[in-house]
Amino acid sequence: MQGDFYDRLTRLPNRCFLAQELSQKFNSVKQNLTESFAVLLLDLDRFQVVDDNLAYGIEDQLIIALARRLEAYTRHHDIVVHLGSGEFAILLNSIKDVSYVQQIAERIYKELVLPFYIKGHEVFINVCIGIALSKKDYQQPEDILRDADIAMHYAKKLGRSCYQIFNTAMHDEAVEVLKLENDLRRAIERQEFRLHYQPIVLLENKQIVGFEALVRWQHPQRGLMYPSEFISLAEETGLITALDYWVLREACHQMRTWQLKFPDASLDTISVNISGKQLLRSDFLDQVKQVLQETKLEPHCLKLEITESSLIKNISTAVNIIEELKALGIQFSMDDFGTGYSSLSYLYNFPINTLKLDRSFIQKMNESRQKLEIVKAIVTLALNLDMEVVAEGIETANQHAQLKVLKCTYGQGFLFSKALERQGVEVFLESELLAQKYYKQTKPQYNSEEQFSREQLLIHIERLKQELEELKQEKTDLEILLEMTNEHSSVVELELHKEISDHQKAEAALQEVNKKLQSLSCIDSLTQIANRRRFDQAIAQEWWRMAREKHPLALIFCDVDYFKKYNDCYGHQAGDFCLKQVAQIISSVLDRPGDLVARYGGEEFAVILPNTDSEGATKVAQKIQLQLRNAQLVHGDSAISDYVTMSLGIASTIPTPESNPDALIAKADKALYQAKMQGRDRFVLSKTGDSNQ
Ligand code: C2E
Ligand code: CA
Ligand code: CA
């Protein structure tokens, strides 16, 4: 009998015991006999061993140690229950008030952040605690457990260890999540998922070697949603396996299509993110085989990206599955390296081909010498283990240059390209190939170590146009000369004609690409950020989304001051370069996935900031101005400064479903106009109308 109510490992009361205890309490409540009580749910989120020579199989002992510590730091009339693996519950009896519960939770929590010593290892744990207090309107034991669970999930979502006490706002949020979960269940059959593809490039010359497929959800009401908004929900609900399967099939199919369509593009691999749950499924191997067979993609062109944290609990099974898939020729990347357990010893255990260095490392690389050394050490180690390294999230030319010096081979990041829609990728590839072709054909004066990127292609078009004009002039001169001397030098003329027509063809082809680029793609061809078309889409989507969520939406218009003078002073090519710099500066300030900067037209940029009020938008505007000032782009012809400056107009509002973004756009536009009128190099916030330097 004893065994039915007690857990064998920890010798603590178990789930059945708790159920019985709670139902007794609920009976007493009905008879008004009991004092207040609370249920505290605790989940061991993850643990970390400080010593790098991690020993396996310490989890059971850790759970026993945790059980003892919980017992030691609760009062004698509280009941500590082991629910299973890393889950515990504590029934807190005789509760006076909320602050009393808080005190207990804090005491427990403080004890749990101290390290455990297991088998000579120092082990740190992360726990999330959810608490619910007994209430009159609870009908049955499940009600209080449900609310403690909601609070625990809330704590989990906040990341890091912490505790949360249940409140009704959490309940409302849980209902929202439930709605989203229902939508998610139907999203696959309704074909609402989309794939975007982010180029992975060879750092040496920026040549595209493959893509990473990144999923997006075109939600019928909420607009385009990013993985951060639904992947963890998909994981919790198990829907991730269906989603990952869809992504795998779609990505393989697309890659095969591109390989056939662009045989000269040397597209080596398509990288697909696979959650641990999906990889560990017994039928995953068969799924992959089937997808490859159906799509006719060569196995070595598929690279599966996995994170170490998703596999940590089942290392040996995971390693077996990876080995089996590798035997088929499929490659593996360790994603987000450095964010999970980051134990270098794991690298030896996982038979992977590629290590993807997390973008947090790249971002911090310039902060100190040590941080740079860490990146250097990881790259060196990986190369010594015959792994390739892909640096993630490269945003600046400086980071690019440094990584090249560190011998990191591949990279991915906004500096090269954001994730693009299918058509965007095709235009990108077409222009890249054309650039390569003309790079080979053109005269030695264009030779350079680097292959042409799209920006260079545009400069190239300009050069060709100029050259064409010169040739035409030359031809006319020659014709006059021929007439004058009355000699027939048809060979020279033929040569000349040929050259002119070659250039004309080249120009026509390039202009064709250029046009396509603008009409098809959502990317502005000069600055590589979103274009006006994308802006129009995005503002409408975000308007709807914010209207539903009743959150503010902010818009900033930024206009480069005295830009015409800049062009007059330095020429159009420099002007283009300036706009690219400005686009990059604005992009670098935006750090949330939903934020968007678009080229609105000419030298004007628009920044869409969902979930942002006037105050938040003002901070962003200040940052943009600060970054631009720090960049010190020299402007010899500016009437107000030695450097390039910008005027900004800010507006924010809480959208309503009955209206549209036009008023917001007009407000931001008016504010920008005011900023210009007030002397430029400043921002104006629409609501108050005041300005700032
Ligand atoms: P990840 O695998 O680390 O993917 C890279 C993320 O970094 C992408 O975000 C990408 O847009 C973003 N990124 C790329 N370059 C830069 C840069 O220069 N700067 C900054 N700040 N960010 C950059 P995204 O698309 O929002 O994806 C987020 C995460 O969602 C992915 O992280 C991946 O873990 C997960 N995910 C995406 N697609 C799938 C999928 O199909 N299946 C599964 N299981 N997970 C997915
Ligand atoms: Ca990834
Ligand atoms: Ca990653």
Side-chain angles (χ1 to χ4, degrees):
M1 195 60 205
Q2 173 96 342
D4 292 343
F5 285 100
Y6 285 86
D7 171 62
R8 285 207 171 79
L9 180 69
T10 55
R11 300 197 307 278
L12 285 177
N14 64 12
R15 206 178 273 277
C16 298
F17 187 103
L18 179 67
Q20 201 190 45
E21 194 68 21
L22 278 175
S23 57
Q24 269 173 19
K25 281 203 169 296
F26 272 80
N27 285 335
S28 317
V29 170
K30 278 176 197 146
Q31 295 157 25
N32 276 334
L33 293 176
T34 188
E35 294 171 289
S36 292
F37 62 97
V39 171
L40 185 151
L41 284 186
L42 181 150
D43 190 36
L44 175 61
D45 204 23
R46 63 175 192 140
F47 62 91
Q48 197 162 25
V49 182
V50 163
D51 187 337
D52 225 16
N53 301 310
L54 175 115
Y56 296 114
I58 61 167
E59 198 170 339
D60 279 356
Q61 299 195 23
L62 178 65
I63 284 170
I64 294 170
L66 177 56
R68 296 292 85 83
R69 203 177 278 187
L70 287 176
E71 273 182 327
Y73 288 93
T74 41
R75 303 161 308 167
H76 69 277
H77 52 282
D78 296 332
I79 303 172
V80 181
V81 178
H82 186 209
L83 298 172
S85 60
E87 279 181 11
F88 291 85
I90 304 173
L91 190 56
L92 299 170
N93 288 307
S94 318
I95 294 303
K96 290 188 204 117
D97 54 20
V98 180
S99 66
Y100 190 65
V101 177
Q102 267 170 330
Q103 274 173 23
I104 301 176
E106 237 147 64
R107 197 173 66 205
I108 295 175
Y109 177 66
K110 262 191 200 145
E111 284 309 315
L112 296 183
V113 271
L114 299 175
F116 288 82
Y117 294 93
I118 313 249
K119 282 191 181 169
H121 294 291
E122 202 174 27
V123 184
F124 289 90
I125 63 171
N126 262 344
V127 288
C128 296
I129 300 174
I131 304 166
L133 275 71
S134 60
K135 289 194 291 201
K136 287 248 157 50
D137 45 352
Y138 282 146
Q139 298 297 320
Q140 49 193 0
E142 288 76 24
D143 293 347
I144 190 166
L145 285 172
R146 175 202 63 210
D147 286 352
D149 193 56
I150 290 176
M152 190 182 71
H153 275 88
Y154 200 85
K156 257 193 190 167
K157 226 173 59 187
L158 295 178
R160 311 255 16 113
S161 289
C162 68
Y163 72 87
Q164 289 289 322
I165 297 177
F166 175 81
N167 60 41
T168 46
M170 289 180 192
H171 179 259
D172 296 346
E173 206 182 303
V175 170
E176 267 299 302
V177 171
L178 208 64
K179 268 194 216 153
L180 196 65
E181 187 184 319
N182 274 331
D183 292 346
L184 196 60
R185 283 184 199 285
R186 296 196 192 100
I188 290 190
E189 60 188 81
R190 291 186 183 169
Q191 304 189 342
E192 288 168 357
F193 288 113
R194 309 273 178 272
L195 277 189
H196 284 189
Y197 301 88
Q198 189 176 34
I200 297 176
V201 305
L202 201 59
L203 288 180
E204 192 188 311
N205 56 9
K206 300 194 202 170
Q207 189 193 320
I208 301 177
V209 291
F211 297 95
E212 174 175 1
L214 294 161
V215 70
R216 274 89 182 91
W217 178 11
Q218 187 63 54
H219 191 283
Q221 283 88 38
R222 295 171 192 243
L224 192 70
M225 292 175 71
Y226 284 82
S228 59
E229 296 170 278
F230 62 87
I231 287 286
S232 51
L233 183 62
E235 274 172 345
E236 278 165 33
T237 52
L239 292 166
I240 191 73
T241 56
L243 173 60
D244 277 357
Y245 182 58
W246 178 85
V247 171
L248 180 71
R249 177 189 293 271
E250 180 70 19
C252 289
H253 171 72
Q254 187 57 70
M255 186 63 171
R256 172 72 183 159
T257 312
W258 281 334
Q259 285 177 334
L260 293 175
K261 193 167 174 185
F262 304 100
D264 298 332
S266 60
L267 298 176
D268 296 338
T269 49
I270 180 85
S271 298
V272 178
N273 293 288
I274 294 291
S275 86
K277 268 213 177 103
Q278 172 75 337
L279 184 90
L280 294 167
R281 270 178 75 108
S282 55
D283 58 351
F284 184 60
L285 183 74
D286 289 335
Q287 279 188 0
V288 176
K289 278 187 193 162
Q290 198 185 343
V291 166
L292 291 176
Q293 206 173 24
E294 279 173 22
T295 59
K296 300 196 172 59
L297 185 76
E298 296 282 340
H300 65 85
C301 298
L302 175 62
K303 202 177 248 191
L304 299 178
E305 296 199 356
I306 47 174
T307 56
E308 42 179 347
S309 42
S310 69
L311 304 174
I312 212 78
K313 286 194 179 145
N314 295 291
I315 288 192
S316 57
T317 321
V319 168
N320 288 341
I321 297 172
I322 294 173
E323 293 284 16
E324 277 180 304
L325 285 158
K326 278 190 76 182
L328 294 179
I330 290 156
Q331 303 188 59
F332 277 87
S333 283
M334 177 76 80
D335 204 354
D336 303 343
F337 186 80
T339 57
Y341 291 78
S342 306
S343 166
L344 291 174
S345 55
Y346 275 113
L347 275 187
Y348 297 96
N349 292 313
F350 280 117
I352 51 160
N353 311 79
T354 307
L355 189 151
K356 293 192 85 173
L357 192 51
D358 190 67
R359 73 163 175 275
S360 53
F361 284 97
I362 311 303
Q363 267 163 2
K364 291 182 197 141
M365 207 164 60
N366 285 325
E367 282 177 9
S368 69
R369 183 144 186 91
Q370 284 106 314
K371 287 183 177 150
L372 187 70
E373 285 296 328
I374 293 176
V375 175
K376 191 173 160 186
I378 296 176
V379 173
T380 313
L381 178 80
L383 294 178
N384 286 340
L385 291 171
D386 281 333
M387 288 177 194
E388 286 171 348
V389 184
V390 179
E392 297 189 307
I394 303 177
E395 293 180 356
T396 67
N398 198 349
Q399 291 163 348
H400 177 203
Q402 272 179 322
L403 286 160
K404 274 205 280 189
V405 174
L406 296 181
K407 300 267 184 302
C408 178
T409 335
Y410 300 100
Q412 189 180 349
F414 295 165
L415 178 68
F416 311 114
S417 171
K418 293 198 173 184
L420 303 168
E421 291 170 56
R422 180 178 58 80
Q423 298 98 317
V425 169
E426 295 189 357
V427 172
F428 203 107
L429 285 174
E430 273 172 31
S431 57
E432 199 91 346
L433 286 172
L434 260 168
Q436 277 175 30
K437 196 165 133 202
Y438 286 101
Y439 162 72
K440 281 181 198 144
Q441 279 183 4
T442 44
K443 292 176 180 176
Q445 79 201 62
Y446 299 137
N447 276 353
S448 107
E449 295 278 313
E450 289 215 353
Q451 276 174 338
F452 288 117
S453 68
R454 285 203 310 173
E455 310 96 277
Q456 287 167 310
L457 180 67
L458 293 167
I459 297 169
H460 191 62
I461 295 173
E462 285 308 313
R463 276 196 200 146
L464 282 173
K465 276 190 205 156
Q466 266 177 23
E467 197 172 281
L468 197 66
E469 283 311 312
E470 280 165 21
L471 279 167
K472 275 184 194 159
Q473 188 59 50
E474 211 176 312
K475 185 181 170 240
T476 324
D477 291 348
L478 272 171
E479 275 168 357
I480 296 166
L481 201 72
L482 275 172
E483 254 180 38
M484 274 163 59
T485 54
N486 216 7
E487 268 180 38
H488 288 281
S489 178
S490 55
V491 180
V492 174
E493 202 179 342
L494 259 174
E495 280 268 331
L496 208 59
H497 268 302
K498 195 175 163 293
E499 206 168 1
I500 292 173
S501 88
D502 273 353
H503 280 294
Q504 271 167 340
K505 269 189 218 152
E507 195 203 11
L510 292 176
Q511 266 171 358
E512 179 84 350
V513 171
N514 204 16
K515 251 197 258 156
K516 252 192 185 172
L517 231 136
Q518 271 153 12
S519 67
L520 269 181
S521 158
C522 288
I523 303 280
D524 174 55
S525 54
L526 174 70
T527 57
Q528 307 270 305
I529 59 172
N531 60 13
R532 175 64 180 267
R533 184 166 162 257
R534 174 79 190 108
F535 169 85
D536 290 339
Q537 279 173 358
I539 191 95
Q541 277 167 355
E542 295 299 349
W543 184 268
W544 242 104
R545 192 159 75 92
M546 293 301 108
R548 269 187 63 84
E549 293 174 9
K550 300 193 178 59
H551 286 167
L553 177 66
L555 177 64
I556 307 177
F557 279 130
C558 322
D559 193 79
V560 180
D561 298 325
Y562 301 109
F563 186 69
K564 196 182 158 327
K565 283 189 172 177
Y566 188 95
N567 268 335
D568 293 345
C569 183
Y570 301 108
H572 286 280
Q573 219 150 302
D576 286 353
F577 183 71
C578 169
L579 291 179
K580 281 194 276 184
Q581 299 276 97
V582 171
Q584 217 178 70
I585 288 165
I586 302 175
S587 305
S588 74
V589 169
L590 307 179
D591 44 17
R592 297 174 310 174
D595 297 348
L596 180 105
V597 53
R599 182 155 174 227
Y600 197 69
E603 67 269 27
E604 193 173 341
F605 296 86
V607 179
I608 303 175
L609 302 166
N611 288 314
T612 310
D613 56 14
S614 303
E615 202 182 320
T618 305
K619 280 189 189 138
V620 174
Q622 277 168 329
K623 267 202 211 164
I624 293 175
Q625 256 187 340
L626 185 71
Q627 292 293 337
L628 182 65
R629 278 176 197 161
N630 287 346
Q632 301 202 329
L633 308 174
V634 175
H635 190 341
D637 226 4
S638 164
I640 49 165
S641 161
D642 291 337
Y643 301 108
V644 171
T645 58
M646 257 191 320
S647 302
L648 299 95
I650 311 164
S652 173
T653 186
I654 298 181
T656 57
E658 298 77 38
S659 54
N660 65 38
D662 290 352
L664 180 68
I665 295 174
K667 267 164 74 183
D669 197 46
K670 194 171 154 210
L672 171 64
Y673 179 72
Q674 284 169 350
K676 290 261 175 207
M677 286 303 101
Q678 289 174 15
R680 295 171 169 83
D681 191 20
R682 64 192 62 215
F683 61 79
V684 169
L685 174 63
S686 158
K687 218 164 73 191
T688 53
D690 54 6
S691 74
N692 259 298
Q693 269 290 75

